[in-house]
Amino acid sequence: MSSVTRRKLGDITDSCLGKMLDKEKNKGAFHPYLANYNVRWGEFDLSNVQEMKFENHEHERYGLKYGDLVICEGGEPGRCAVWRDNVPDMKIQKALHRLRVKSGFSYDFLYYRILLANRTSELQKYFIGSTIKHLTGVSLKQVEFNFPCHEEQVSIATVLRSLDKKIELNNRINSELEAMAKTLYNYWFVQFDFPDDSPQGQGKPYKTSGGKMVYNPTLKREIPEGWEVAPLSSISGVSNESVNPADFPEKLFKHFSIPVFDATNTFGVERGDTIGSNKFTVKETDLLVSKLNPWFNRVVYAMGESEQICSTEFVVWRCPNPSIKNFMYMIATSPQFIAHCTQSATGTSNSHKRVNPNVMMRFDQPFNLKVAEKLGQHLEPILKQLIVNQRENTKLAQLRDWLLPMLMNGQVTVK
């Protein structure tokens, strides 16, 4: 790494704390604003953006421009992301700081340097508060880091940013794939507009084309004539086949565990001799469904890899064929099934509640084997690509996290 200079953030940025939310006193026109919960590490959750009033003279002070760092004061102090004009005319609330870097400094480099400082606990010395921690504007200005020359900052940030951009692209693709899968499942098994292949149906949507519906007292709703209401236990088996990896120290197991779980549905690889208790074995036809509160939405779609094991906090659904597996995946990720598990969980506290596997598998589902298998065939390429993208993201994130400290301390250089 070239020669570095140590600088305080107060010297290299213009900072501002967001506007106080006060419905009684605030005047002007309504504009969207970011709150603490909208900021994630490296990204923004814009699914629940609120509005408040801003006057004309406040737009410059509280408004965001491309390249601004938005940093949480509390909640998880220091959590931040770079604003890239995600939404026009966005402002910030008082729970957030805005840092606008000065000439000669890279906003992407600064983001990654703050990310590293958070992971190494380097940032914590600037927090105040004995129980609830905060990173005040005064403290934020005192944060100091080593900065190489601007050219090297840009080079380092470009490497890390390229990995994150690929992850973001995969996430956008997966959002579309998930939407496609949910739409298919909803049409076929919620609205019952599956293609009717009977001679009278001629492939038309069943319900909207006049397919006969009958009332089912169990579900308290109408379902197609000839369908059954089946508990999950009658559609897929549950496997309790287990192994103790410590008995096979020569093998390398891929270990799926809870709550060590990331957004990509994949986990790290551990050697068998580091895991000293029995784990469930995992096969290609399996779905791993969490029985532990609050992680009922954590479903792992097993792929054709060898030597896979999982925590006994999963219920292993061993599906009879790939088509049914895809159908069951949609059930396991549905709000109705998650609500069933949440309501059925028992235990001494919310964080230790579990749903009994037998109770989990009592979930009632309108079912037709032929339609379920046909849906599974349509879902196959969608879900397989989704899982491939998720696993690629895990590898990209691991590479980024490995490179981050090494690039920052000069162990790895960019040519």
Side-chain angles (χ1 to χ4, degrees), residues 19-47:
K19 182 178 179 179
M20 174 72 76
L21 176 60
D22 190 329
K23 294 181 180 180
E24 300 298 324
K25 296 181 180 180
N26 290 344
K27 300 178 181 179
F30 282 101
H31 293 268
Y33 69 91
L34 296 176
N36 181 286
Y37 57 80
N38 296 120
V39 181
R40 302 287 182 262
W41 278 109
E43 62 183 357
F44 298 93
D45 179 358
L46 302 178
S47 61

Side-chain angles (χ1 to χ4, degrees), residues 53-110:
K53 291 181 178 180
F54 290 85
E55 299 181 69
N56 290 335
H57 68 87
E58 295 176 316
H59 294 336
E60 177 64 26
R61 177 174 178 80
Y62 300 119
L64 293 176
K65 295 181 180 180
Y66 193 101
D68 285 346
L69 273 77
V70 182
I71 303 178
C72 295
E73 181 179 60
E76 183 187 354
R79 187 174 71 239
C80 66
V82 177
W83 185 253
R84 303 181 195 277
D85 290 347
N86 310 62
V87 174
D89 196 34
M90 185 63 73
K91 310 293 190 295
I92 56 170
Q93 188 197 10
K94 190 178 179 181
L96 300 173
H97 300 284
R98 184 208 68 210
L99 290 188
R100 187 167 294 163
V101 299
K102 297 178 180 179
S103 176
F105 295 89
S106 162
Y107 49 80
D108 279 327
F109 178 89
L110 181 55

Side-chain angles (χ1 to χ4, degrees), residues 4 19 24 56 63 83 91 144 208 211 260 285 295 312 334 344 346 377 389:
V4 299
K19 182 178 179 179
E24 300 298 324
N56 290 335
W83 185 253
K91 310 293 190 295
E144 56 181 355
T208 56
V260 184
T285 58
W295 299 295
T312 53
S334 69
S344 304
T346 58
Q377 293 165 8
N389 290 346

Side-chain angles (χ1 to χ4, degrees), residues 100-335:
R100 187 167 294 163
V101 299
K102 297 178 180 179
S103 176
F105 295 89
S106 162
Y107 49 80
D108 279 327
F109 178 89
L110 181 55
Y111 161 72
Y112 286 113
R113 188 61 187 86
I114 293 174
L115 176 63
L116 178 60
N118 174 74
R119 293 182 177 179
T120 60
S121 300
E122 181 184 357
L123 203 60
Q124 293 182 5
K125 64 184 179 182
Y126 297 99
F127 298 166
I128 66 167
S130 55
T131 54
I132 301 176
K133 304 295 184 181
H134 285 84
L135 179 60
T136 67
V138 173
S139 297
L140 186 59
K141 291 179 180 181
Q142 298 305 309
V143 174
E144 56 181 355
F145 300 127
N146 289 334
F147 290 88
C149 69
H150 182 256
E151 181 180 0
E152 193 164 345
Q153 291 177 44
V154 172
S155 296
I156 291 171
T158 298
V159 172
L160 298 170
R161 177 68 184 144
S162 65
L163 297 171
D164 276 334
K165 286 172 71 174
K166 177 56 176 171
I167 292 173
E168 291 167 8
L169 175 60
N170 284 346
N171 285 337
R172 289 197 296 271
I173 293 172
N174 278 3
S175 293
E176 295 296 325
L177 292 173
E178 289 172 356
M180 290 169 59
K182 289 178 180 178
T183 298
L184 274 174
Y185 176 77
N186 183 65
Y187 273 132
W188 288 34
F189 277 87
V190 178
Q191 301 182 41
F192 302 117
D193 265 337
F194 54 90
D196 183 3
D197 293 332
S198 66
Q200 56 270 38
Q202 299 181 338
K204 296 178 181 178
Y206 181 84
K207 185 176 180 180
T208 56
S209 298
K212 186 174 180 181
M213 304 289 290
V214 295
Y215 181 78
N216 182 274
T218 301
L219 296 180
K220 296 181 173 59
R221 61 174 299 195
E222 290 187 333
I223 63 173
E225 184 181 41
W227 281 39
E228 62 178 319
V229 173
L232 297 186
S233 58
S234 70
I235 305 174
S236 173
V238 170
S239 173
N240 292 312
E241 180 183 321
S242 65
V243 65
N244 190 332
D247 295 336
F248 304 93
E250 75 284 357
K251 291 185 178 181
L252 188 66
F253 289 89
K254 181 164 188 173
H255 179 213
F256 301 92
S257 60
I258 298 177
V260 184
F261 185 100
D262 62 26
T264 65
N265 288 9
T266 54
F267 306 76
V269 176
E270 299 182 57
R271 281 206 170 274
D273 59 1
T274 68
I275 306 171
S277 61
N278 276 24
K279 304 297 178 185
F280 289 142
T281 59
V282 179
K283 296 185 178 180
E284 185 174 7
T285 58
D286 292 346
L287 291 172
L288 315 182
V289 184
S290 169
K291 66 179 181 182
L292 184 63
N293 186 70
W295 299 295
F296 296 128
N297 63 333
R298 297 188 169 178
V299 181
V300 178
Y301 187 102
M303 302 283 271
E305 302 173 37
S306 61
E307 311 299 352
Q308 298 180 92
I309 56 175
C310 74
S311 164
T312 53
E313 294 292 4
F314 284 111
V315 179
V316 180
W317 294 4
R318 186 147 291 171
C319 304
N321 61 59
S323 296
I324 290 298
K325 175 184 175 180
N326 295 333
F327 167 72
M328 294 291 286
Y329 179 86
M330 299 310 300
I331 295 175
T333 55
S334 69

Side-chain angles (χ1 to χ4, degrees), residues 354-381:
R354 293 167 173 80
V355 59
N356 183 287
N358 292 328
V359 175
M360 173 189 285
M361 301 306 286
R362 289 176 196 156
F363 180 76
D364 288 319
Q365 172 68 33
F367 185 66
N368 177 289
L369 178 60
K370 181 180 177 181
V371 177
E373 288 183 331
K374 187 171 183 178
L375 174 66
Q377 293 165 8
H378 282 277
L379 291 172
E380 180 78 2

